[in-house]
Every structure is written in C-alpha cells, then in structure tokens.
C-alpha cells in the first residue's frame, strides 16, 4: 500500500475532503539539477491536490491523516492510462486499414482518421473507467489520524 500524509480541509456527512502536497519524484533525487526531467518538474507549480475520501472515523478540520492507496489500484490505474488509449489507437488503425479503407476504396486518410478516432475512444474510456476506479476498493482510504506531539520546553 502506498501512503501519503494529508490535511483535512472539509467534512460532510459521508466524506472528508483532504489536501495533499503535489510533489514530483524529482524533489528527492540527487541528480535533479543535471536532469532534463528535473528541469521540467521545476517549471510546474507543486501546489496542493484536494481529494474526497470516504469518512470512516471522527476527524476534525485541520487534522492530519494517513491516506493509503492499494498497489493494485496504482497498477490498474497505470495500465488504464497508458495501455488502453494505445490499444484503442492500434485497433482503430487496424480497423481503418483492413476494413474501412477497402470498403470505401479510400487511401491512408481513412486509416489515419480511424486511428485518431480509436485513440479518442481510448481516452473517453479512460475517463469513464477512472471515475469508477476511485470509488470502492480502489480509491484512497484513511488509514488513521496522525497524533500530534507537544514538546516540553
């Protein structure tokens, strides 16, 4: 399970809204000043990301919690975002080349358009399925509240 610290910013009947700091992996790398990816990561603001999580315990606004995301969710999400659009793009290209172009007696233009249509369909499917993955067993869950400590000075 992948874990992250978040701060509770709002609470409603069934859900808790939490904010996490958005970071790139480059922030912990020693080579970030010599790497092209690190340079690109510096160009984008780090900011905060607000996430809705099912409320499983009593929490207060401003309290820090540990969020967990199952590894299976991360793997399925990566496959969904990277593999599904590429697969649909290739199926669209094959559909256009092997069936649609001979049927219409057209050239490569029909193949290119069907390839782009397959890629667009892939991204629409990603959007549809990603909304389903963030609910239930694949969504983030609250693992526990972070206990605050007081220093005795």
């Amino acid at each position: 399970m992948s874990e992250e610290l978040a701060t509770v910013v709002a609470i409603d009947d069934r859900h808790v809204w939490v904010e996490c700091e958005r970071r790139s992996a480059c922030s912990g790398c020693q080579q970030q000043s010599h790497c092209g990816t690190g340079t690109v990561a510096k160009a984008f603001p780090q900011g905060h990301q607000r996430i809705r999580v099912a409320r499983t315990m009593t929490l207060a606004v401003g309290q820090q919690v540990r969020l967990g995301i199952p590894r299976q969710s991360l793997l399925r999400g990566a496959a969904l975002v990277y593999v599904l659009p590429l697969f649909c793009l290739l199926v669209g290209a094959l559909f256009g080349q092997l069936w649609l172009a001979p049927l219409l007696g057209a050239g490569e233009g029909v193949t290119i358009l069907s390839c782009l249509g397959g890629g667009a369909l892939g991204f629409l499917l990603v959007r549809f399925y990603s909304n389903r993955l963030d609910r239930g067993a694949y969504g983030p869950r609250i693992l526990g509240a972070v206990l605050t400590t007081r220093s005795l000075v």
Side-chain angles (χ1 to χ4, degrees):
M1 180 155 308
S2 179
E3 295 184 17
E4 183 71 32
L5 287 178
T7 304
V8 177
V9 293
I11 300 172
D12 63 16
D13 293 337
R14 294 187 208 164
H15 298 95
V16 175
W17 290 90
V18 296
E19 261 186 14
C20 315
E21 185 178 340
R22 187 179 305 171
R23 302 176 276 186
S24 72
C26 295
S27 62
C29 181
Q30 303 298 328
Q31 299 296 324
Q32 66 181 345
S33 61
H34 306 295
C35 173
T37 305
T39 305
V40 172
K42 289 178 189 173
F44 293 103
Q46 296 298 323
H48 295 285
Q49 183 174 12
R50 189 173 276 203
I51 302 169
R52 185 181 74 162
V53 183
R55 191 168 99 179
T56 57
M57 61 181 59
T58 304
L59 297 168
V61 174
Q63 188 173 11
Q64 281 200 328
V65 294
R66 286 182 321 139
L67 292 181
I69 300 175
R71 285 190 198 264
Q72 185 178 15
S73 175
L74 291 175
L75 294 175
R76 283 191 182 200
L80 181 72
V81 170
Y82 292 112
V83 176
L84 186 62
L86 183 61
F87 177 75
C88 289
L89 184 108
L90 292 174
V91 168
L94 285 173
F95 172 76
Q97 181 69 30
L98 300 177
W99 188 75
L100 199 56
L103 180 70
L104 298 175
E108 290 179 0
V110 171
T111 304
I112 292 170
L113 287 176
S114 65
C115 178
L116 293 174
L121 176 67
F123 283 113
L124 289 174
L125 288 173
V126 165
R127 183 177 176 143
F128 175 75
Y129 284 117
S130 68
N131 288 334
R132 290 180 170 228
L133 279 179
D134 71 347
R135 297 185 203 122
Y138 295 108
R141 62 182 78 141
I142 297 174
L143 300 177
V146 176
L147 299 175
T148 58
T149 58
R150 294 183 183 176
S151 63
L152 301 172
V153 179

